[in-house]
Amino acid sequence: MENLEALMHGFGIALSGNHIFLMLIGVLLGILVGVLPGLGAPNGVSLLLPLTFGMQPVSAIILLSSMYWGALFGGSVTSILFNIPGEPSSVATTFDGYPMARDGRPTTALATAFGSAAFGALAGVVLITLSASWVAQVALAFGPPEYFAVYFLAFASFVGMGGTPPIKTLVSLAIGFALAAVGIDTVSGSVRLTMGIDEMVKGVSFVVAVMGLFGIGELLIAVEEEFHVKAISSKVEWREVFRTLAGLPRYGWALLRSAAIGCWMGITPGGPTAASFMSYGIAKRLSPQHANFGKGEPEGIVAPEAADHAAGTSALLPMLSLGIPGSATAAVMMGGLMIWGLNPGPMLFVEQKDFVWGLIASMYLGNVVAVVLVLLTVPIFAALMRVPFFIIAPVIVIICTVGAYSVSNSYLDVMLMMGFGVLGYLFKKLHYPLAPLVLAIVIGDKAEDAFRQSMLMSRGSLGIFFAKPLVTTLILLGAALLLMPVIWRTIGRMMQRSEVKP
């Protein structure tokens, strides 16, 4: 009941004319970001972040989150109409979305994708509404050992559940920790890792890092890889839209299963991309129509879209309640909260109720706005795909450069952004994950501070992490996640040996 009252108060905040206008602008910008290859939700949010510095935090987060929803929907448009995933998490949608559209059913494919995505997003927002306050109340009892245990669990989750080779995830985390350590040590007050550059005392700006890693890095990849666009009709037939949406309940089990997978992968650091692939794979294995997957099967669109949007939405739960982002985009938003002077975590629900519940209410409204706008603007944004890339690329570079310089009016930040762009390019080419790097940059110093404070409290004894049941449970769970790749590899080898033996 308390959550419901707080949500109603949040709707009162989100339904102001100013915030509705920001939702419309954010969704439109997000669709544009999702439609154009080489961008994506983390890139778009990081590009827009410098423009929010002078805004009220509630208005700023509504604008950024609306852009996030729009980008998720926009990525589905290019996946279905052009067989080009605008978002990494939209890759699985191309498997059946493009074949269905190519067979003369683009409206059916789009309506199936958007209806499933709306259901998944709704599931994620309901989860946040029901559990955010409870998670925050539990976390109010946290001290430095508990916080370090939670951070350790988050880092370990990327290693055990990230879907990439553990050694690559560890390298990504290590680089992020090193970057987070640049500047002034908050415990001792000493200057470290500045390499004799006075301007580096302020540390590595999170905004500069993400603009380089995502904006410039993705741009370099896009320049190298030529996009061969084979567009099909982008006209939306509204009668077919309503007919398709009315028929979605027949895939009710797939919707519920996919939303559950997405919510779980959003809360843990699996992320929307892993959720969409996992959901598609499970749907293909369990569906009685599994032979039709890859040929335009509707369930092959329902599963990845519902999981993708459920994961993208629920990733904000750990960010708001615990200060731990569940995805790269959530990490960018968390950096924005810190820049605006807000500390993500349990106290956010006590000190900034208007902010938290205004954001949660805007999630309901923003996703409805996104569904309507994306259907209305499909022909327009599809036409943008025909704009030559040599026109789009310089615009992205200009936006990144201006955004990086505006952080602290420093040319060094522009150079650092370019350096991060090269790093992001190398990570993509070598198949290293960027999300752990972003996570380590955002909360690496927090994890270090929590660990050192714990050591001061215990006079250097690691036993403090095993002194209470909650801390012990989190540490052991994190250790189990670190060992999970080894365990799965061992089980796989044992199964292979048992198959070889007669």
Side-chain angles (χ1 to χ4, degrees):
M1 183 61 72
E2 182 182 348
N3 280 10
L4 184 60
E5 292 176 359
L7 181 62
M8 291 300 103
H9 177 65
F11 274 114
I13 297 170
L15 282 172
S16 68
N18 178 44
H19 290 157
I20 293 293
F21 176 73
L22 288 176
M23 282 182 210
L24 293 171
I25 296 298
V27 168
L28 286 172
L29 289 173
I31 296 171
L32 175 61
V33 163
V35 164
L36 294 175
L39 288 176
N43 317 345
V45 172
S46 62
L47 292 175
L48 194 61
L49 191 58
L51 302 180
T52 66
F53 291 167
M55 299 172 64
Q56 291 295 320
V58 177
S59 301
I61 196 66
I62 286 176
L63 177 62
L64 294 181
S65 62
S66 297
M67 178 180 232
Y68 185 21
W69 316 141
L72 290 175
F73 281 99
S76 304
V77 174
T78 53
S79 295
I80 292 170
L81 296 182
F82 300 92
N83 202 29
I84 299 173
E87 288 277 321
S89 56
S90 299
V91 172
T93 305
T94 63
F95 300 158
D96 283 276
Y98 184 69
M100 181 184 288
R102 188 182 54 204
D103 290 343
R105 295 180 293 160
T107 302
T108 304
L110 289 169
T112 302
F114 299 151
S116 305
F119 180 86
L122 178 64
V125 181
V126 169
L127 175 67
I128 292 175
T129 304
L130 297 177
S131 58
S133 293
W134 176 79
V135 173
Q137 286 174 2
V138 172
L140 279 173
F142 279 22
E146 287 83 2
Y147 270 111
F148 174 75
V150 171
Y151 294 139
F152 173 69
L153 179 62
F155 296 132
S157 297
F158 270 107
V159 177
M161 301 179 62
T164 53
I167 188 64
K168 291 188 175 182
T169 303
L170 289 172
V171 169
S172 183
L173 285 170
I175 294 174
F177 289 141
L179 292 169
V182 174
I184 297 177
D185 180 358
T186 55
V187 176
S188 68
S190 61
V191 177
R192 58 188 185 182
L193 300 179
T194 59
M195 296 171 285
I197 303 173
D198 293 340
E199 285 189 67
M200 293 293 288
V201 172
K202 68 181 185 300
V204 176
S205 169
F206 168 78
V207 178
V208 171
V210 295
M211 290 183 103
L213 289 170
F214 293 107
I216 302 299
E218 293 286 349
L219 184 63
L220 292 173
I221 292 289
V223 169
E224 182 182 27
E225 298 176 358
E226 295 182 6
F227 292 101
H228 300 287
V229 178
K230 296 180 180 178
I232 56 180
S233 173
S234 55
K235 184 179 179 182
V236 176
E237 299 172 5
W238 288 100
R239 188 175 298 176
E240 181 62 25
V241 168
F242 294 120
R243 187 184 300 117
T244 302
L245 294 178
L248 276 181
R250 78 179 72 166
Y251 304 106
W253 170 235
L255 284 168
L256 291 171
R257 182 185 63 233
S258 302
I261 292 171
C263 288
W264 169 249
M265 295 298 283
I267 295 172
T268 61
T273 303
S276 62
F277 277 101
M278 180 185 294
S279 182
Y280 184 87
I282 292 174
K284 185 176 181 179
R285 182 173 299 177
L286 298 180
S287 173
Q289 306 295 329
H290 60 86
N292 293 332
F293 275 65
K295 302 175 183 177
E297 170 61 30
E299 195 171 342
I301 302 174
V302 168
E305 284 295 312
D308 175 9
H309 286 249
T313 306
S314 57
L316 298 184
L317 173 60
M319 186 268 280
L320 292 172
S321 302
L322 301 173
I324 298 173
S327 69
T329 309
V332 177
M333 290 186 184
M334 180 173 163
L337 264 63
M338 294 177 177
I339 291 170
W340 305 325
L342 303 178
N343 290 316
M347 290 306 296
L348 196 66
F349 285 77
V350 177
E351 299 171 350
Q352 301 288 341
K353 280 190 174 182
D354 287 355
F355 173 85
V356 172
W357 289 104
L359 168 61
I360 293 174
S362 76
M363 292 181 187
Y364 288 95
L365 300 172
N367 277 289
V368 173
V369 170
V371 173
V372 175
L373 282 183
V374 78
L375 284 169
L376 290 173
T377 56
V378 161
I380 299 172
F381 287 109
L384 285 175
M385 288 291 295
R386 298 177 177 86
V387 176
F389 189 73
F390 68 83
I391 295 177
I392 297 173
V395 173
I396 296 173
V397 173
I398 291 170
I399 293 173
C400 289
T401 303
V402 172
Y405 182 79
S406 65
V407 171
S408 57
N409 296 329
S410 171
Y411 289 109
L412 178 63
D413 285 341
V414 177
M415 299 305 296
L416 286 174
M417 181 201 66
M418 295 299 180
F420 278 113
V422 175
L423 181 63
Y425 169 80
L426 292 175
F427 265 51
K428 285 284 187 178
K429 294 298 292 182
L430 299 174
H431 304 290
Y432 278 75
L434 277 174
L437 173 63
V438 174
L439 179 71
I441 293 175
V442 174
I443 65 173
D445 56 339
K446 288 177 169 287
E448 180 192 1
D449 290 348
F451 178 78
R452 293 171 69 178
Q453 289 166 4
S454 301
M455 290 295 95
L456 290 172
M457 290 170 59
S458 66
R459 297 182 180 180
S461 172
L462 291 173
I464 193 171
F465 298 117
F466 301 94
K468 297 179 182 179
L470 178 59
V471 180
T472 303
T473 302
L474 292 172
I475 291 291
L476 292 178
L477 184 57
L481 287 170
L482 284 176
L483 295 173
M484 188 176 290
V486 178
I487 295 171
W488 283 115
R489 193 178 301 118
T490 304
I491 293 174
R493 288 174 180 172
M494 292 175 63
M495 292 179 64
Q496 286 180 354
R497 290 175 183 173
S498 63
E499 290 175 0
V500 170
K501 291 180 180 179

